[in-house]
Every structure is written in structure tokens, then in C-alpha cells.
Amino acid sequence: ASEYPDYIQPEVVDIVRRVNAVRKDSSIVFVAMADSHYVADQKLNFYDAETNASTVQANQAAKVLSYLIQPDFFAHLGDVSCGHGTTTPDMLKSQIEGFINYFRNKFIR
């Protein structure tokens, strides 16, 4: 993960430390995230690049976390794509596939 922003690793390590401090053999551990709003190539507004950058960095953090903590499952709680009145089914599919590709090797078999 050397290509990830410098601030991701210390934040993830802190989360791992906190989870491991209370984790027991009987614990169920999972990663949950929401509101990624991945825009992909769709043009919606001035903040598209920032929205995509924050989605990429959140995905990077979740992927590093998943490797370090070995969760039992991963849950995305909604708003994977940006979605808009101009979003076509093909755009939505592309946005969701772009998001899922970050986790394909870890969680999807």
C-alpha cells in the first residue's frame, strides 16, 4: 500500500489496535462503510474529482484494514454510487463495478 496517502496507515493501525484490545475468540468483526458516492466518469458537479478521491482513499483504508484485521465480513450500507437524474443504468453499473474492484480479491470469491 505504499502508493496510498501517508495518513491512511496510522489511522488504520489505530483502528486495528483498538479492535484487537477488545477482540475475543467469539467476536464477530466486520468492516462497514457507507456513502461512497463513487462518480467514476460521470460529470455531475464541481466536486466530482474530490468525491472520487475521497472514495478511492476510503476504499484504500478499508482494504488495508481488511488485510490487517481479517474481518468476518464487509458491509457497505448504501450509496455506493453518486446516482443522479442523469445516471443511466450503464453508468450505475460502471460505478458499482469500480467500487467493488477494490475488494474483489479479498471478499468476492
Side-chain angles (χ1 to χ4, degrees):
S2 61
E3 70 277 7
Y4 293 2
D6 291 341
Y7 70 85
I8 289 178
Q9 182 181 359
E11 295 298 327
V12 169
V13 168
D14 183 55
I15 292 170
V16 170
R17 182 187 58 75
R18 290 170 186 245
V19 169
N20 286 338
V22 296
R23 190 176 198 170
K24 298 178 176 35
D25 288 339
S26 60
S27 296
I28 297 173
V29 178
F30 61 95
V31 175
M33 65 188 297
D35 297 311
S36 345
H37 292 283
Y38 186 52
V39 178
D41 295 330
Q42 187 175 3
K43 301 295 179 217
L44 297 174
N45 61 51
F46 179 74
Y47 299 105
D48 294 346
E50 290 81 1
T51 300
N52 279 338
S54 66
T55 297
V56 167
Q57 292 172 13
N59 289 349
Q60 291 168 340
K63 191 165 187 175
V64 172
L65 181 61
S66 72
Y67 281 106
L68 293 177
I69 210 161
Q70 296 296 307
D72 296 298
F73 66 93
F74 176 94
H76 193 289
L77 306 175
D79 291 339
V80 172
S81 75
C82 227
H84 189 270
T86 60
T87 305
T88 67
D90 286 340
M91 288 175 179
L92 180 61
K93 182 178 178 185
S94 173
Q95 292 166 2
I96 292 171
E97 286 175 352
F99 175 83
I100 289 174
N101 280 336
Y102 282 96
F103 303 102
R104 189 166 305 283
N105 293 336
K106 178 64 182 163
F107 292 106
I108 300 173
R109 301 189 195 329

